[in-house]
Amino acid sequence: MKRALRTVVAAGTVAALVAGCSLSGNTGNDPQAPATVTLVTHDSWLAPQEVLDAFERQSGIKISVLKQGDAGALTNKLVLTKANPIGDVAYGIDSTFASRALTEGVFEQYTSPEADRGPQRYSVDPEHRLSAVDLGDVCVNVDTRYFADKGIPEPKSFADLADAKYKDLMIAESPATSSPGLAFLLGTVAQFGEQGWQGYWTQLKANGLKVVSGWEEAYSKEFSGSSGKGPRPIVVSYASSPAAEIGDDGKPRTKALLDTCYRQVEYAGVLKGGKQVEKARKVVDFLLSQQFQVTVASNMYVYPARQGVELPQGWAQAAPQPQQPKTLEPAKIQAGREQWIAQWRTLLEG
Amino acid sequence: MAHATRRLTSRPTFRGAGLAALAVLPLGFLVVFFAWPVAAIVARGFGSGGVGTAIGDPLTWELAGFTVASAGVSTIVAVLAGLPVAFLLARVRLPGVSLVRTLVLVPFVLPTVVVGLAFRALWPDGGLLPLVLANAFFNVAVVARTVSGLWSHLDPRAVDAARALGASPWRAFRSVTLPALAPAIASSAAVVFLFCATSFGVVLILGGAKYRTLETEIYLRTVELLDLSGAAALSLVQFAAVVAALVVGALARRRRENAVRLRSRSETARRPRGGEWWAVSAGLAVVALLMTPIVALLVESVSTSDGWSLAGYEALAGQGSRGALQVSGWDAASMSLRTAFDATTLAMIVGVLASVVLVALRRTPGRLARGMGETMDAALMLPLGVSAVTVGFGYLVTLDALPGDLRTSPLLVPLAQALVIIPLIVRMVLPVLRSVDVRLRQAASTLGASPGRVWREIDLPLTARSLVAAAGFGYVVALGEFGATSFLARPDAPTLPVAVATLISRPGELNNQMAYAACALLMIVTVVAVVLIDRFGAVRGQNSVGEF
């Protein structure tokens, strides 16, 4: 009995060892497959495997994905490793961080032939080192049922949110720890100007705004319109979030306030000093292609940068794209970002 | 008697060269995968200037004070809660104790974001109390497992003798048991303090915008602001605080560590009697409290807006709503098991070698050996006290110098996890290894046994159970490790905690439920792993200690 047990344990150990070794053996950079291009991206990356496989069959390029945190962390890691980049191509640098990456010289010049199908509208750089892949709009979302039940009109604008009618109803993320939080702060800077935004936030604070550190808590725990059924009916999220809250009746339970949106554009570029520049360019072309663009909405909850790409069913009603979102010049963001966050922290956390 | 023991102890049992050879691997590992990356990233901060200003900033010292104070309180709570549980695990023979031994580990593997959300559900406004309690919640297991490891081997006759001489149970505990347990308590307290002082997700979620620690500030400055000089300054302050904590811990341990007669648990556990029931009740109460958030998570995993549903669990076979994951929940579970296995193997090799070297240094005469031993002991603990962000970013700027560019290798995850669990393994193995009565070893040597044979015949059988327990504990920690893993895991190979974090960061009820179901899966995997390892350890341990 004892011996049998030992044999079982020994066999189990060997099996586990073999399993363990398979992990170390699979390092991805097989010299037999020189066509592997490493794509460095952020945590929200998601693409259907069949689309990647189709690209591989068609071009002979296998994309190996390396996620490196959120857009900020991704940018900073690319800056730190620019002398010897960790990949060949990067996707997911957004307009908030684009100027840092450009100033630091992380990307090569490359104009994709696909960029003339729309992406160039969002160009940030005359040298075309970054190509726009998608856009995400950070907007205030509301729980429509809450307002219907209470008989209060839904808020519509930035100014409404500071109205006493909506006291203690709103939840937002800290711009210091959250990317939608930062986008919302930038939206208020764009709306009220560098002189006015602090006054607006003071009003929001006085109106009972609650700030948490991340989107997960804000949306899944505090917001009454999500499955978490939190206490507050107003939250900073994305224009596309209502698409995930469609009930059994086919109607969305939440709504984005299209006058409170701030647009973040996400870019891709070829990394300077990468080992396979030519193939990396092909990957940028792929990211801008119809084939890939049609996947971004349902997978990453963002809008394709390419014109004429169909959105998933239900988006037209649940998640229409805002027509006049706020934006800020990348150079202005680069100059102001740290200072605004510091001022915001003094204002809201002090 | 004491004099005679000291004279005998001072006979070197290992030769210097052999010792140095044994020390090369653990120290080399620490230098390459910890010291070098950390030094490189801090040096960059110095390069860009402004470190002095940041150190002089009153905000820095405010953060340091809050970090130390809140971690200190969490540690006290964890120790107070952990001791009755340790008693339960070590001394009590009642049905269900082995279940407690297993369950108590579950909090340790839960992803911080999930625990943060669970505590938020109880304290919607966050704040100091939930922050302190959540940090303690994670770490009760460290105290309970480490202390019970030693306690179960203590000879109960000393307590019986004290009682026979008229000491009250409390007095006997205070003057006999507690001093004998002191090294394990001090060890675990040091580990818990370091975990709390560097805890990140919990502080971010429950501290919200108001409470900030050095760790969250280092994260912000490195990850979001790229203010490397500010981060470097804060890292130095954190480093100093950690070294201070380690020195205090070492001083507390120093005079208390004696050779204690070790016994098998089967001889020492018994039905509680009299006042011991109070301790048992306290232990059970702690376990019940630890289970509360866990039960809440389980409930959450089966409740939807339309009532009860197993949809989240069914979804584990797939990739989440709209393919939130790149692999299925089961694949993530299998990846977790394999990664944790690699990490544990690595950490056991490094940790046990390091412990052997530390014990040998301890038994080598002279101030030099002692100093070396204490320095190495402290150095092994440092990975727990340095920000995962600093280490992760350090990897980026250093590891390309190694062959094979480890920066993008999947091996990096087990390496980083090993770094986290090595200190735990050392802390669990060392007290037991040190407590092996040196006279037994000397008797064996006198009878002609080689050092290797002494280790095999004396140390190994006596410590086997602790080794298995340490490996099991390390394995479980690696399963749940999130900080380093989330920085390094590849999207096609996420571990369960990474998958949970991904799922919970996407809208949609199904993803939310699947996240909680994945948490439940993580708990189940943990429980199964612990049961298997404990069973294996119990069989081996009982036989070998029994034979002895």
Side-chain angles (χ1 to χ4, degrees):
Chain A
M1 184 58 207
K2 202 170 83 183
R3 172 165 297 186
L5 184 78
R6 284 203 182 156
T7 315
V8 168
V9 170
T13 313
V14 170
L17 261 171
V18 172
C21 288
S22 70
L23 185 66
S24 50
N26 182 21
T27 44
N29 288 332
D30 185 351
Q32 292 299 307
T36 296
V37 167
T38 303
L39 169 71
V40 193
T41 182
H42 55 45
D43 286 339
S44 308
W45 163 268
L46 198 66
Q49 193 58 47
E50 25 334 332
V51 174
L52 297 178
D53 290 345
F55 173 67
E56 187 180 339
R57 276 194 306 275
Q58 175 191 324
S59 65
I61 297 170
K62 184 178 165 53
I63 298 178
S64 158
V65 176
L66 204 60
K67 287 193 198 179
Q68 296 288 320
D70 64 8
L74 168 67
T75 312
N76 295 348
K77 287 179 176 182
L78 293 175
V79 167
L80 278 176
T81 55
K82 65 181 177 185
N84 183 12
I86 48 179
D88 306 292
V89 56
Y91 154 72
I93 305 270
D94 65 24
S95 39
T96 322
F97 291 98
S99 30
R100 180 181 289 165
L102 292 175
T103 315
E104 297 276 353
V106 168
F107 291 102
E108 290 242 335
Q109 192 277 325
Y110 175 59
T111 312
S112 169
E114 304 277 349
D116 58 5
R117 308 295 170 85
Q120 67 193 8
R121 286 176 292 169
Y122 308 103
S123 179
V124 274
D125 164 36
E127 286 177 60
H128 298 292
R129 287 170 291 180
L130 288 173
S131 306
V133 176
D134 63 74
L135 0 154
D137 293 291
V138 170
C139 314
V140 173
N141 279 212
V142 296
D143 174 4
T144 46
R145 264 187 312 200
Y146 177 95
F147 291 101
D149 290 352
K150 297 267 168 177
I152 310 171
E154 290 164 12
K156 289 200 160 34
S157 63
F158 279 113
D160 288 350
L161 300 172
D163 190 302
K165 266 205 292 290
Y166 307 107
K167 194 167 171 59
D168 296 334
L169 297 187
M170 180 171 172
I171 180 102
E173 301 87 357
S174 163
T177 48
S178 148
S179 135
L182 179 57
F184 185 63
L185 171 64
L186 297 179
T188 62
V189 174
Q191 171 80 14
F192 298 100
E194 287 185 59
Q195 305 308 317
W197 70 267
Q198 295 198 49
Y200 176 65
W201 278 90
T202 311
Q203 289 173 23
L204 284 184
K205 190 182 180 185
N207 207 30
L209 170 76
K210 181 170 177 177
V211 176
V212 296
S213 56
W215 178 88
E216 291 85 352
E217 303 138 73
Y219 193 82
S220 306
K221 271 287 168 239
E222 302 283 348
F223 180 46
S224 61
S226 72
S227 56
K229 300 210 181 314
R232 292 181 176 235
I234 307 177
V235 67
V236 173
S237 191
Y238 296 89
S240 53
S241 306
E245 308 294 350
I246 296 175
D248 293 333
D249 57 356
K251 287 190 185 132
R253 294 175 291 218
T254 64
K255 177 173 158 186
L257 307 181
L258 298 184
D259 290 339
T260 62
C261 299
Y262 178 81
R263 172 155 295 170
Q264 280 177 318
V265 183
E266 291 192 321
Y267 298 94
V270 176
L271 289 168
K272 195 179 269 180
K275 287 164 198 79
Q276 315 186 73
V277 173
E278 208 42 58
K279 294 196 170 75
R281 291 175 172 179
K282 292 256 163 49
V283 173
V284 172
D285 296 347
F286 165 64
L287 294 175
L288 301 182
S289 68
Q290 173 77 21
Q291 192 185 1
F292 179 80
Q293 290 276 306
V294 76
T295 72
V296 299
S298 54
N299 285 285
M300 292 186 276
Y301 285 97
V302 287
Y303 302 96
R306 193 181 174 102
Q307 281 169 322
V309 177
E310 205 175 319
L311 289 176
Q313 217 186 351
W315 276 49
Q317 191 199 355
Q321 208 170 344
Q323 291 312 304
Q324 266 132 21
K326 311 281 173 264
T327 51
L328 280 180
E329 291 283 304
K332 205 169 172 185
I333 301 173
Q334 175 74 357
R337 183 178 45 220
E338 264 78 80
Q339 187 201 343
W340 295 332
I341 292 177
Q343 287 167 342
W344 182 94
R345 289 173 81 165
T346 319
L347 208 62
L348 271 286
E349 298 171 5
Chain B
M1 178 61 202
H3 184 69
T5 312
R6 191 178 314 146
R7 198 157 49 78
L8 276 171
T9 336
S10 61
R11 272 178 58 183
T13 42
F14 275 83
R15 263 169 291 162
L19 204 57
L22 283 181
V24 164
L25 183 68
L27 290 179
F29 183 86
L30 273 188
V31 167
V32 174
F33 293 107
F34 177 68
W36 178 37
V38 169
I41 201 82
V42 171
R44 275 180 179 245
F46 270 91
S48 47
V51 171
T53 326
I55 286 189
D57 188 347
L59 173 71
T60 306
W61 296 100
E62 218 173 278
L63 290 171
F66 178 73
T67 307
V68 169
S70 64
V73 177
S74 295
T75 307
I76 292 169
V77 173
V79 169
L80 289 180
L83 282 182
V85 182
F87 171 76
L88 204 61
L89 299 184
R91 280 292 189 243
V92 174
R93 184 179 294 158
L94 281 176
V97 165
S98 57
L99 181 68
V100 168
R101 178 188 303 284
T102 306
L103 287 182
V104 87
L105 266 183
V106 169
F108 212 92
V109 300
L110 291 176
T112 43
V113 53
V114 171
V115 173
L117 293 182
F119 273 74
R120 262 232 178 250
L122 290 170
W123 284 274
D125 289 325
L128 202 49
L129 180 69
L131 197 161
V132 164
L133 290 183
N135 271 333
F137 169 82
F138 276 113
N139 289 303
V140 170
V142 179
V143 178
R145 298 284 279 202
T146 313
V147 174
S148 77
L150 182 60
W151 202 339
S152 64
H153 291 310
L154 286 184
D155 194 335
R157 282 175 300 181
V159 173
D160 294 342
R163 296 277 285 121
L165 292 171
S168 66
W170 172 238
R171 173 90 201 264
F173 173 76
R174 233 175 41 211
S175 46
V176 180
T177 313
L178 204 54
L181 293 181
I185 297 175
S187 284
S188 58
V191 170
V192 172
F193 179 82
L194 294 185
F195 269 128
C196 295
T198 57
S199 112
F200 168 71
V202 166
V203 181
L204 212 54
I205 295 179
L206 297 170
K210 194 162 175 203
Y211 298 104
R212 291 141 67 187
T213 60
L214 287 170
E215 184 80 9
T216 57
E217 198 67 16
I218 290 171
Y219 173 84
L220 280 185
R221 299 208 183 172
T222 312
V223 172
E224 300 296 335
L225 309 178
L226 203 62
D227 169 15
L228 290 185
S229 53
L234 294 167
S235 301
L236 289 181
V237 174
Q238 189 176 40
F239 194 75
V242 164
V243 170
L246 291 177
V247 169
V248 171
L251 287 178
R253 282 199 299 270
R254 182 184 263 185
R255 280 174 305 158
R256 302 282 175 81
E257 265 179 67
N258 308 308
V260 206
R261 293 197 64 182
L262 297 183
R263 294 268 150 188
S264 142
R265 173 180 149 84
S266 52
E267 293 173 53
T268 58
R270 63 178 187 212
R271 268 187 73 81
R273 27 182 203 230
E276 288 175 351
W277 282 107
W278 286 106
V280 171
S281 320
L284 291 175
V286 169
V287 174
L289 284 176
L290 291 180
M291 290 306 115
T292 319
I294 292 171
V295 172
L297 291 181
L298 290 174
V299 170
E300 191 128 12
S301 73
V302 290
S303 42
T304 67
S305 47
D306 319 316
W308 307 109
S309 156
L310 288 175
Y313 289 89
E314 284 156 14
L316 285 176
Q319 305 177 345
S321 160
R322 299 163 205 250
L325 296 178
Q326 221 157 312
V327 301
S328 76
W330 297 108
D331 290 338
S334 128
M335 180 51 68
S336 284
L337 290 173
R338 284 158 46 182
T339 314
F341 181 86
D342 286 7
T344 310
T345 311
L346 192 61
M348 279 302 281
I349 295 169
V350 173
V352 171
L353 276 180
S355 304
V356 169
V357 171
L358 285 175
V359 171
L361 278 175
R362 177 75 179 233
R363 288 176 180 156
T364 309
R367 270 166 178 273
L368 180 67
R370 192 186 179 103
M372 276 165 56
E374 279 171 6
T375 313
M376 185 173 159
D377 190 333
L380 282 163
M381 297 284 283
L382 286 178
L384 288 188
V386 172
S387 160
V389 184
T390 311
V391 178
F393 272 66
Y395 281 0
L396 285 178
V397 300
T398 51
L399 293 190
D400 55 329
L402 294 182
D405 201 350
L406 278 176
R407 295 178 304 170
T408 57
S409 158
L411 266 184
L412 213 49
V413 176
L415 284 173
Q417 290 180 348
L419 202 60
V420 177
I421 57 184
I422 287 167
L424 297 176
I425 286 175
V426 170
R427 288 272 75 87
M428 286 185 84
V429 171
L430 200 57
V432 183
L433 211 53
R434 271 183 180 162
S435 304
V436 172
D437 194 332
V438 76
R439 285 167 297 186
L440 281 174
R441 314 180 86 254
Q442 282 154 353
S445 301
T446 316
L447 293 171
S450 64
R453 177 125 192 238
V454 171
W455 159 246
R456 206 166 62 239
E457 305 269 338
I458 310 280
D459 298 87
L460 195 59
L462 276 172
T463 54
R465 196 165 201 296
S466 303
L467 288 180
V468 175
F473 194 63
Y475 188 78
V476 165
V477 174
L479 274 182
E481 209 285 328
F482 179 68
T485 310
S486 67
F487 274 108
L488 306 168
R490 297 163 72 106
D492 52 349
T495 62
L496 266 178
V498 173
V500 170
T502 308
L503 286 166
I504 217 160
S505 64
R506 294 187 180 261
E509 184 161 18
L510 186 65
N511 282 337
N512 215 12
Q513 261 182 294
M514 189 177 163
Y516 286 109
C519 269
L521 182 60
L522 182 62
M523 291 187 230
I524 293 163
V525 167
T526 306
V527 167
V528 170
V530 174
V531 166
L532 284 178
I533 291 162
D534 273 355
R535 180 131 307 172
F536 176 45
V539 172
R540 289 269 319 255
Q542 263 164 23
N543 284 344
S544 33
V545 180
E547 278 156 20
F548 159 76

